[in-house]
Amino acid sequence: MHTSAIVNRLKPSETLAAAAKARELRAKGIDVLDFTLGEPDFITPEHIRRAAVAAMDAGHTHYTAATGIQELKQAVCNAFQRDYGVSWKPSEVTISNGAKHALHNVLVAVCEPGDEVIIPTPFWVSYSALVELVGAKPVLVETSEAEGFCLSPEKFRAACTPRTRLLMLNSPSNPTGVVYPVQALEALAHVAVEKNIIVLSDEIYDKLLYPGHAFRTFASFGDEVKQRTIIVNGVSKAYAMTGWRIGWTLAPENVSGAINRLQSQQTSNPCSVSQYAALAALNGPQQCVTEMCAEFARRRDYVVQRLRAVPGLTMPEPGGAFYAFFNVSRHFTKPLLNGPGVTNATDFCTALLERGHVALVSGDAFGAPGYVRMSFATSMDNLRRGLDAIEHFLA
Ligand code: PMP
Ligand code: GLU
């Protein structure tokens, strides 16, 4: 049967593919230590689970408004106002099936075929694929570890052309863990206004920050900036709710109206029960977020200290999210664990999985050759065993 050219060009998500490969080896009885997927290992907090049960018992088992229940849209606005002092109206909110779906909605809603979308590297795997899916062109702009993996205003300005529609930003970042300093964000905001470019700010890791780092939403730099800003967020990471599939966009009314039309034809509403669970997450006690974040911080400290003690590895200190992103290129070409050497990060990950039984994601998936990503959203015991195995592999 025929499949379309646009999906034929689409690669499968490399993060999901790496996780599947680890699962495959495990099914063969091999004890694989898996650090591929960025998802909290915690079960969703109890009060949120209870709210879902109560919603089912109350009969919230039907279609809802296509773009989400009004209470949840209001809760998203209230939380934004409470946490960041910026106001949005419920009519500017669309509730979607996870943040990934929200990102796709935005690209469909604002991009014309042939438009250019600036994506600083390293970037989260799905960004470029989703841009290509709408017929737009990803323009990858490299940032280095020496630059703190932050896009500078100069590089942003230089990448702009008359076809540039959008800049995709992600701070705290997946895969680097880097949190943009306020001044760096503000400088990008000035360029966005000067060049009249929309900024799609993926703020999914806003609540997962480590001591010494502060979060600033891109919508907080005044009206001229907010008018050009679209925020994507959701409950997946902060509330350990990846499986519930609830994310959202905050966008000026004409864009949220476009997304609403799109979603009404495309998926109808996100899961009714999940929406009530997300409502409990946003309106309920926030202590669970603080506690999970404290545990991630403990793991981060451990992982950074262990990786930095390995000769030849370099990495930025993750200020947020739950990823360690480190450079392994000094270990290229030399023999690795009784086998031949490798010359790129993808082969490095394959060799580490096959010979060392540790699964990481190659930086090649994120537009960052020479690097690998390790998720530390897993138990201390797994981390200890995994880091022992990586050390052994490299020695
Ligand atoms: N953006 C980033 C940067 C992410 O890391 C993820 C997690 N996969 C998403 C969006 C998508 O989140 P969700 O699971 O809510 O679709
Ligand atoms: N955001 C997670 C990751 O980067 C989940 C996987 C995915 O959705 O691609 O690992």
Side-chain angles (χ1 to χ4, degrees):
M1 205 176 280
H2 177 79
T3 54
S4 70
I6 204 149
V7 294
N8 289 348
R9 280 196 299 271
L10 191 66
K11 286 180 299 185
S13 156
E14 283 103 329
T15 45
L16 302 186
K21 213 160 141 191
R23 218 174 292 129
E24 219 172 88
L25 279 192
R26 220 177 299 122
K28 288 187 189 151
I30 298 170
D31 180 20
V32 175
L33 292 155
D34 183 3
F35 306 100
T36 55
L37 271 193
E39 78 168 330
D41 54 324
F42 307 111
I43 183 174
T44 304
E46 187 175 355
H47 69 281
I48 301 173
R49 305 199 310 267
R50 294 281 157 263
V53 173
M56 283 189 278
D57 290 345
H60 293 305
T61 54
H62 301 275
Y63 291 130
T64 69
T67 57
I69 57 175
Q70 190 64 16
E71 301 97 297
L72 182 55
K73 292 182 182 181
Q74 188 63 58
V76 168
C77 296
N78 293 352
F80 211 93
Q81 179 75 48
R82 173 193 70 203
D83 298 340
Y84 306 128
V86 177
S87 64
W88 293 90
K89 294 184 288 216
S91 55
E92 296 172 310
V93 182
T94 310
I95 310 297
S96 301
N97 300 285
K100 198 186 269 188
H101 179 215
L103 290 167
H104 184 228
N105 279 349
V106 171
L107 294 166
V108 175
V110 308
C111 289
E112 302 293 344
D115 278 358
E116 293 176 1
V117 175
I118 298 177
I119 304 176
T121 72
F123 60 92
W124 180 47
V125 269
S126 295
Y127 285 3
S128 61
L130 289 174
V131 167
E132 284 170 8
L133 196 55
V134 301
K137 182 176 161 217
V139 175
L140 305 181
V141 179
E142 201 179 301
T143 76
S144 66
E145 193 175 331
E147 296 167 289
F149 286 128
C150 284
L151 178 69
S152 68
E154 294 78 22
K155 281 193 174 176
F156 178 24
R157 193 177 285 109
C160 291
T161 75
R163 297 297 326 241
T164 307
R165 177 74 60 193
L166 200 80
L167 165 68
M168 290 179 88
L169 265 193
N170 176 219
S171 172
S173 153
N174 177 5
T176 63
V178 161
V179 182
Y180 273 65
V182 177
Q183 300 83 336
L185 286 178
E186 201 164 14
L188 294 177
H190 286 308
V191 179
V193 172
E194 174 195 319
K195 300 275 184 186
N196 194 24
I197 286 164
I198 303 169
V199 176
L200 171 49
S201 183
D202 179 346
E203 304 186 347
I204 189 91
Y205 295 102
D206 63 339
K207 296 285 185 283
L208 300 180
L209 282 179
Y210 304 119
H213 294 272
F215 177 77
R216 250 320 258 280
T217 173
F218 206 79
S220 66
F221 297 106
D223 276 349
E224 279 196 313
V225 179
K226 186 167 172 247
Q227 283 159 17
R228 291 170 176 79
T229 301
I230 300 173
I231 308 278
V232 166
N233 207 329
V235 290
S236 296
K237 312 290 171 169
Y239 300 96
M241 291 178 70
T242 45
W244 301 77
R245 309 311 301 136
I246 296 291
W248 53 79
T249 47
L250 295 162
E253 236 162 41
N254 74 315
V255 174
S256 61
I259 294 173
N260 291 353
R261 287 198 300 281
L262 168 68
Q263 194 163 297
S264 76
Q265 293 289 12
Q266 167 207 52
T267 63
S268 299
N269 60 283
C271 168
S272 59
V273 174
S274 294
Q275 291 188 69
Y276 284 92
L279 184 62
L282 292 180
N283 287 349
Q286 300 300 301
Q287 182 65 20
C288 56
V289 181
T290 316
E291 281 167 12
M292 286 189 274
C293 197
E295 179 55 25
F296 288 136
R298 211 166 68 88
R299 298 169 183 181
R300 178 200 75 144
D301 291 349
Y302 176 71
V303 169
V304 170
Q305 168 240 317
R306 286 284 311 261
L307 286 173
R308 286 200 169 148
V310 180
L313 297 187
T314 62
M315 63 179 292
E317 188 174 276
F322 33 57
Y323 307 102
F325 197 63
F326 52 100
N327 191 313
V328 292
S329 62
R330 295 231 186 94
H331 290 273
F332 289 169
T333 69
K334 67 169 202 183
L336 292 165
L337 197 65
N338 311 322
V342 297
T343 54
N344 63 64
T346 300
D347 291 347
F348 180 91
C349 288
T350 305
L352 178 61
L353 180 60
E354 287 170 358
R355 292 177 228 160
H357 302 159
V358 173
L360 305 178
V361 185
S362 164
D364 293 325
F366 309 103
Y371 284 81
V372 295
R373 188 191 79 172
M374 178 181 195
S375 162
F376 52 83
T378 184
S379 71
M380 274 298 229
D381 186 51
N382 276 345
L383 291 171
R384 198 168 296 120
R385 291 169 60 213
L387 288 158
D388 286 347
I390 291 171
E391 218 173 70
H392 180 61
F393 180 74
L394 291 175

